[in-house]
Amino acid sequence: MDPFIRGLPKAELHLHLEGSLEPELIFAIAQRNGVSLPYASVDALRRAYSFTNLQSFLDIYYAGAGVLLHEQDFYDMTWAYLERAHAQGVRHTEVFFDPQTHTERGVAFEAVLDGIRRALSDARERFGLTSELILCFLRHLSAEAADATLTQALPYKDAFVAVGLDSSEVGHPPSKFQAVFRRALDVGLKTVAHAGEEGPPEYIWEALDLLQVSRIDHGVRCLEDPRLVARLVEEQVPLTVCPLSNVKLKVFERIEDHTLGRMLDAGLRATVNSDDPSYFGGYVAENYEAVAEGLGLSRARLVELARNSFHASFLSPAERERRLAELDAYLAQA
Ligand code: ADE
Ligand code: ZN
């Protein structure tokens, strides 16, 4: 790992906590919870991580998350991620979680939230690593189920900065969730949505116009629509790009085919993130390294990506300036 990349102060803005569960932790939690897994060993589970598309990944991702039952499980998952993030220069992180993946199995919403929040708070104290939490609705489930989840979350509204939209994209356009996103906006939450990962550019338009998102998660398919690119550039809408994820899920054949360089050249506010690092072969620094090597991105480009990550975050203006000053101080001594 290039020490410059590892130490580069950065924000991570597209990270699913359930996608940070390493196979070793899945097995350890399964054992202590008496949950049986359809894999004989850690290695057998890891060998199953060969995906053909988004759905083939999601099937395994939801199976892995099925071991999580107690508050401590959610703490351990979150803490393991935060330790890795801290070691890779992440100064601020805005993480997704999928409450429905757990409440559908009978786990209390509070157990999920409390475990995650306790770990985020410990990382703030121990590492100075700041964070925000984004509650995602599963788009393969109904709009009514998303609405019920928002109702369940509202007593803890101050714990979240935004709501998001993830899971199986194609066939579940943003328009399906317009009403629940309207409710979230009305109580002061921000909105983000996965769009243009496997789904068409129209889904990005819908996320902007119907869900009023502050950021697009992935968004790589925007390049198919020049009018859309012009708008994203004009409004400087951040895109949380996840290069290793895109290659593992066959959005691009090889890292060398990834369009991140073209996106930056077009003036898009792209950022680099890890998505589901335990499944896709790398945390955020490995993603920076992959595009540095695979696309030949210069150091100036990597710094631009790190700068974009703070600009695209939900940090207050004062906190953003503080983080950008840390970045400048790092560059001054690098
Ligand atoms: N859930 C976890 N990772 C995801 C991704 N890359 N796209 C959609 N839903 C997800
Ligand atoms: Zn994602």
Side-chain angles (χ1 to χ4, degrees), residues 14-16 96 166-167 194 197 217-218 242 245 275-276 280:
H14 187 151
L15 179 285
H16 302 265
F96 299 130
D166 65 3
S167 192
H194 284 53
E197 178 186 19
D217 295 313
H218 292 295
C242 306
S245 164
D275 205 3
D276 301 283
F280 298 149

Side-chain angles (χ1 to χ4, degrees), residues 112-129:
V112 181
L113 182 60
D114 291 350
I116 293 172
R117 278 203 295 186
R118 188 158 62 85
L120 295 177
S121 162
D122 283 356
R124 223 167 280 138
E125 213 165 282
R126 296 257 305 263
F127 306 141
L129 171 46

Side-chain angles (χ1 to χ4, degrees), residues 261-276:
R262 278 175 55 204
M263 295 169 83
L264 292 171
D265 289 343
L268 289 160
R269 194 177 287 288
T271 63
V272 160
N273 309 271
S274 68
D275 205 3
D276 301 283

Side-chain angles (χ1 to χ4, degrees), residues 1-2 4-6 8-12 88 90 241 243-244 260 270-274 283-295 297-299 301-310:
M1 163 75 60
D2 177 351
F4 175 78
I5 289 176
R6 192 178 48 228
L8 188 64
K10 51 183 89 64
E12 179 150 53
Q88 294 201 344
V90 175
V241 177
L244 289 174
L260 176 68
T271 63
V272 160
N273 309 271
S274 68
Y283 287 75
V284 68
E286 281 90 7
N287 275 271
Y288 274 72
E289 190 154 70
V291 292
E293 286 177 6
L295 302 178
L297 293 194
S298 65
R299 241 181 209 206
R301 278 292 194 219
L302 301 178
V303 171
E304 178 186 351
L305 287 164
R307 225 179 268 293
N308 281 352
S309 74
F310 293 118

Side-chain angles (χ1 to χ4, degrees), residues 206-285:
E206 282 192 11
L208 294 169
D209 291 333
L210 305 182
L211 307 186
Q212 292 175 31
V213 296
S214 299
R215 299 196 288 253
I216 296 287
D217 295 313
H218 292 295
V220 289
R221 288 194 59 192
C222 72
L223 290 182
E224 296 168 29
D225 180 344
R227 270 186 57 240
L228 176 58
V229 170
R231 171 157 179 202
L232 294 169
V233 171
E234 161 85 21
E235 296 178 13
Q236 285 292 287
V237 178
L239 307 175
T240 62
V241 177
C242 306
L244 289 174
S245 164
N246 292 156
V247 174
K248 282 281 182 189
L249 301 186
K250 317 277 190 212
V251 174
F252 300 101
E253 192 69 31
R254 306 168 311 149
I255 193 72
E256 290 79 6
D257 303 323
H258 200 287
T259 51
L260 176 68
R262 278 175 55 204
M263 295 169 83
L264 292 171
D265 289 343
L268 289 160
R269 194 177 287 288
T271 63
V272 160
N273 309 271
S274 68
D275 205 3
D276 301 283
S278 99
Y279 292 92
F280 298 149
Y283 287 75
V284 68

Side-chain angles (χ1 to χ4, degrees), residues 36-318:
S36 67
L37 287 166
Y39 302 94
S41 65
V42 166
D43 281 346
L45 175 56
R46 219 183 271 283
R47 274 197 298 277
Y49 292 2
S50 115
F51 312 116
T52 50
N53 57 20
L54 176 57
Q55 192 59 51
S56 67
F57 153 70
L58 290 170
D59 293 342
I60 288 193
Y61 162 88
Y62 293 127
V67 302
L68 301 165
L69 298 180
H70 307 297
E71 193 259 12
Q72 187 65 41
D73 304 336
F74 293 93
Y75 178 92
D76 291 347
M77 168 179 75
T78 307
W79 183 251
Y81 160 68
L82 292 164
E83 281 192 309
R84 310 272 302 239
H86 172 61
Q88 294 201 344
V90 175
R91 305 294 177 98
H92 177 74
T93 186
E94 299 184 355
V95 297
F96 299 130
F97 77 118
D98 293 336
Q100 289 161 291
T101 299
H102 315 297
T103 54
E104 280 219 315
R105 298 180 290 111
V107 176
F109 183 88
E110 289 75 11
V112 181
L113 182 60
D114 291 350
I116 293 172
R117 278 203 295 186
R118 188 158 62 85
L120 295 177
S121 162
D122 283 356
R124 223 167 280 138
E125 213 165 282
R126 296 257 305 263
F127 306 141
L129 171 46
T130 54
S131 53
E132 295 287 358
L133 194 48
I134 300 173
L135 182 159
C136 283
F137 303 117
L138 297 180
R139 70 205 300 160
H140 69 276
L141 300 179
S142 69
E144 291 71 26
D147 198 65
T149 301
L150 181 61
T151 299
Q152 201 168 24
L154 282 184
Y156 314 101
K157 172 173 91 58
D158 293 345
F160 315 110
V161 72
V163 296
L165 190 61
D166 65 3
S167 192
S168 322
E169 186 180 6
V170 174
H172 303 285
S175 54
K176 176 177 164 186
F177 297 95
Q178 189 173 357
V180 67
F181 271 63
R182 181 70 262 163
R183 265 186 85 205
L185 287 161
D186 285 344
V187 299
L189 291 167
K190 296 187 167 60
T191 60
V192 298
H194 284 53
E197 178 186 19
E198 282 190 347
E202 288 70 35
Y203 285 19
I204 301 177
W205 284 105
E206 282 192 11
L208 294 169
D209 291 333
L210 305 182
L211 307 186
Q212 292 175 31
V213 296
S214 299
R215 299 196 288 253
I216 296 287
D217 295 313
H218 292 295
V220 289
R221 288 194 59 192
C222 72
L223 290 182
E224 296 168 29
D225 180 344
R227 270 186 57 240
L228 176 58
V229 170
R231 171 157 179 202
L232 294 169
V233 171
E234 161 85 21
E235 296 178 13
Q236 285 292 287
V237 178
L239 307 175
T240 62
V241 177
C242 306
L244 289 174
S245 164
N246 292 156
V247 174
K248 282 281 182 189
L249 301 186
K250 317 277 190 212
V251 174
F252 300 101
E253 192 69 31
R254 306 168 311 149
I255 193 72
E256 290 79 6
D257 303 323
H258 200 287
T259 51
L260 176 68
R262 278 175 55 204
M263 295 169 83
L264 292 171
D265 289 343
L268 289 160
R269 194 177 287 288
T271 63
V272 160
N273 309 271
S274 68
D275 205 3
D276 301 283
S278 99
Y279 292 92
F280 298 149
Y283 287 75
V284 68
E286 281 90 7
N287 275 271
Y288 274 72
E289 190 154 70
V291 292
E293 286 177 6
L295 302 178
L297 293 194
S298 65
R299 241 181 209 206
R301 278 292 194 219
L302 301 178
V303 171
E304 178 186 351
L305 287 164
R307 225 179 268 293
N308 281 352
S309 74
F310 293 118
H311 281 292
S313 75
F314 293 128
L315 284 168
S316 69

